[in-house]
Amino acid sequence: MAGKSGESVSISVPYRNLRKDVEVEMVTTKHGNENASSSADDAAVAKDCSLVTLVLSCTVAAGVQFGWALQLSLLTPYIQTLGISHAFSSFIWLCGPITGLVVQPCVGIWSDKCTSKYGRRRPFILVGSLMISIAVIIIGFSADIGYLLGDAKEHCSTFKGTRTRAAFVFIIGFWLLDLANNTVQGPARALLADLSGPDQRNTANAVFCLWMAIGNILGFSAGASGRWQEWFPFLTSTACCAACGNLKAAFLLAVVFLTICTLVTIYFAEEIPLASNNPTRTSGLEHSKSNGTANGINLRQLPPDMHSVLIVMALTWLSWFPFFLFDTDWMGREVYHGNPTGESLLVKLYGQGVREGAFGLLLNSVVLGFSSFLIEPMCQRMGARAVWALSNFTVFACMAGTAVISLMSLKDNSEGNEHILPNETTRTAAVIVFALLGFPLAITYSVPFSVTAEVTADSGGGQGLAIGVLNLAIVIPQMIVSLGAGPWDALFGGGNLPAFVLASVAAFAAGVIALRSLPTLSSSFKSTGFHIG
């Protein structure tokens, strides 16, 4: 910045939205910088969009979340009906962390530079939504496609073997679904940042989280119904029985809902096309690339406190992913003592457990929504470090509670009560655990990112670099759980409890390390809500 008076200086003003310009680049004299910055700030404030536009531009979040809720509640149980063992069912979830690590950053960079006449984000949202629709149709009809490709011709109600071709088609659809979800999520969040002004950050995040909560509630409600095949009986077939027909109908409903949400977002989001000769604001990942290694991840650029954040984050997600993968399966197996590949009565019990688990996840989403309003005042009163630790201790207690509930249910089942519903106390306790986990989940979706923003506020590597590294602390634990949870459970008889116990240990360790190692942070918490999925 040194130079003679009157020297031209280029100022790049970071945008909050793109309704007029991608980035304001101003050339002015050195002594005029202060006025220029003030003018740029005034311009940013002037470009705030209306609340109605903000609300309608975020509807795609509800559509994506609807499908994600169905994915969480129904797909692990369903893959086992195709003959894939419980020990290997977790492997199909590997695509999530892989695509999250690779696809989202790439799509983010491409959308930053997109010069389509329809805007930078909307083309990716549209393409991603079409991919989601194709993927869920493939998943829903995987049994029928496998049947046409040569799987066993025996009726699905009596055949208990492995339907290899159907399972292969299912896995293709599942991986495509994760790829598509990551294609939509990044541009959808970026669109929100583009449209919202500097004074709308909290409002915008609240609106986005509200739509996610609505999608979760509707999706888990659809998963909990279990009667879609009765309302649409034509969806069942020789290869597709009740559980398959229910999943097929629920996913077709998801396609309709996502289509409506996507069209609303595309219509109401007021994007201005990016001219190919305009300067563009680089994404956080690109910024980190210019300051760090070729892949944008350079740990040496992070402040020392960030290493403690990464450790706590990794342990936090190591405690969450076993629940995400096996929640409804645990309800069907350990609480209801059903079996997706057993005799008809066991299959029925398992299905009832899965639906009860989906209902518990519905309550979980409701609790999460209400809890999100409590996080800011809690952080202001207790500090973000204590709140994050509290969330991990809550997960520890809840996951330990699953062991107690499993033992209670096992005792009922061993006292001559085989093949009947568990007693009311056991069922209620299981649903309560599912619901209570909504509170720490709300904290996990927001506080770690706000902590990261504060810890790295003055670091040379930039917050984009820190968030990129933080993503590693999420996807690596997910890979570990996806690869190891099934075989680990198989060592102890094939249930879900061993993975849940390890999750409880990881949560306790995360809470202790959070209290002992995380830095003392300011109490001026500002939500930077995030969703992982």
Side-chain angles (χ1 to χ4, degrees):
M1 297 292 293
K4 298 178 181 178
S5 177
E7 178 183 356
S8 294
V9 178
S10 177
I11 305 173
S12 294
V13 182
Y15 64 82
R16 284 292 181 180
N17 59 67
L18 294 180
R19 294 181 64 189
K20 293 183 180 179
D21 298 300
V22 177
E23 178 175 310
V24 181
E25 181 152 332
M26 303 161 58
V27 178
T28 183
T29 60
K30 180 181 176 183
H31 61 264
N33 286 351
E34 184 176 348
N35 293 334
S37 299
S38 176
S39 299
D41 290 339
D42 292 340
V45 173
K47 290 188 286 184
D48 286 4
C49 68
S50 70
L51 179 61
V52 173
T53 299
L54 209 57
V55 170
L56 294 175
S57 298
C58 294
T59 54
V60 70
V64 173
Q65 207 64 26
F66 186 102
W68 176 247
L70 289 176
Q71 187 176 356
L72 283 177
S73 58
L74 297 181
L75 292 193
T76 295
Y78 178 68
I79 187 64
Q80 295 175 72
T81 67
L82 300 179
I84 301 299
S85 69
H86 177 271
F88 292 98
S89 61
S90 63
F91 289 173
I92 64 171
W93 290 87
L94 267 176
C95 184
I98 293 173
T99 56
L101 189 62
V102 177
V103 175
Q104 275 205 36
C106 292
V107 170
I109 292 172
W110 294 337
S111 69
D112 276 344
K113 297 180 177 180
C114 179
T115 57
S116 168
K117 66 178 182 179
Y118 300 107
R120 299 196 305 165
R121 316 299 182 188
R122 288 184 294 178
F124 290 90
I125 292 173
L126 178 60
V127 171
S129 297
L130 289 174
M131 291 170 60
I132 291 175
S133 300
I134 294 171
V136 298
I137 290 174
I138 291 174
I139 291 172
F141 286 85
S142 57
D144 300 293
I145 296 173
Y147 180 84
L148 294 175
L149 293 177
D151 273 344
K153 303 303 181 183
E154 185 179 347
H155 196 275
C156 53
S157 61
T158 57
F159 181 74
K160 303 302 178 184
T162 301
R163 287 180 275 177
T164 306
R165 294 168 181 82
F168 183 73
V169 172
F170 173 92
I171 292 172
I172 291 176
F174 190 97
W175 280 54
L176 178 61
L177 179 58
D178 269 336
L179 176 67
N181 281 334
N182 281 287
T183 301
V184 174
Q185 286 170 357
R189 294 188 185 107
L191 179 64
L192 176 69
D194 295 345
L195 295 176
S196 58
D199 297 328
Q200 294 179 304
R201 184 184 66 175
N202 286 341
T203 300
N205 281 324
V207 169
F208 199 84
C209 290
L210 175 63
W211 278 120
M212 290 196 303
I214 291 172
N216 269 335
I217 292 170
L218 294 177
F220 288 130
S221 298
S225 168
R227 301 182 62 184
W228 293 105
Q229 77 284 356
E230 297 177 13
W231 301 327
F232 303 99
F234 58 88
L235 293 176
T236 59
S237 63
T238 300
C240 183
C241 290
C244 171
N246 178 66
L247 178 137
K248 188 187 296 184
F251 270 136
L252 289 175
L253 178 65
V255 170
V256 175
F257 185 65
L258 175 63
T259 300
I260 295 172
C261 292
T262 301
L263 292 177
V264 170
T265 291
I266 289 175
Y267 181 79
F268 285 99
E270 301 175 11
E271 278 196 290
I272 299 299
L274 171 64
S276 59
N277 60 343
N278 278 358
T280 62
R281 171 185 182 264
T282 57
S283 67
L285 184 64
E286 275 191 305
H287 177 70
S288 64
K289 277 177 153 183
S290 65
N291 289 287
T293 59
N295 64 358
I297 304 299
N298 186 343
L299 295 176
R300 289 177 298 178
Q301 294 182 353
L302 296 175
D305 287 338
M306 191 61 196
H307 296 95
S308 298
V309 174
L310 293 175
I311 293 172
V312 176
M313 190 65 159
L315 289 171
T316 296
W317 283 99
L318 199 60
S319 69
W320 273 112
F321 279 119
F323 177 76
F324 287 161
L325 265 62
F326 299 123
D327 41 24
T328 55
D329 187 68
W330 172 76
M331 189 76 83
R333 287 179 179 272
E334 272 87 341
V335 178
Y336 278 72
H337 298 283
N339 190 328
T341 59
E343 60 185 65
S344 60
L345 181 57
L346 293 177
V347 171
K348 182 179 179 180
L349 286 171
Y350 181 80
Q352 287 179 285
V354 169
R355 291 191 294 274
E356 189 81 357
F359 175 70
L361 293 174
L362 166 63
L363 297 181
N364 176 286
S365 297
V366 174
V367 173
L368 186 154
F370 282 108
S371 298
S372 63
F373 294 101
L374 304 176
I375 295 175
E376 185 167 342
M378 286 178 61
C379 287
Q380 291 172 347
R381 185 177 181 85
M382 302 168 55
R385 177 177 64 178
V387 171
W388 193 357
L390 175 63
S391 74
N392 282 298
F393 288 133
T394 305
V395 175
F396 160 72
C398 289
M399 298 308 288
T402 62
V404 176
I405 293 170
S406 297
L407 293 175
M408 290 168 54
S409 183
L410 183 62
K411 180 180 178 182
D412 294 338
N413 192 254
S414 64
E415 293 178 348
N417 297 322
E418 294 88 350
H419 307 337
I420 65 172
L421 291 175
N423 66 53
E424 189 67 26
T425 302
T426 303
R427 293 159 57 190
T428 302
V431 172
I432 288 175
V433 166
F434 274 46
L436 288 177
L437 282 168
F439 168 68
L441 189 57
I443 295 173
T444 303
Y445 282 164
S446 58
V447 172
F449 300 93
S450 295
V451 170
T452 298
E454 183 168 346
V455 167
T456 61
D458 299 321
S459 66
Q463 294 187 21
L465 169 64
I467 294 297
V469 176
L470 198 65
N471 190 49
L472 286 177
I474 298 172
V475 299
I476 291 177
Q478 186 174 356
M479 290 179 181
I480 292 172
V481 173
S482 297
L483 288 171
W488 171 255
D489 287 339
L491 291 176
F492 296 90
N496 300 293
L497 195 56
F500 283 12
V501 170
L502 281 183
S504 181
V505 172
F508 184 80
V512 171
I513 296 174
L515 289 177
R516 294 178 61 87
S517 300
L518 288 181
T520 301
L521 304 169
S522 71
S523 59
S524 57
F525 174 85
K526 293 296 182 182
S527 173
T528 56
F530 235 80
H531 173 67
I532 307 300

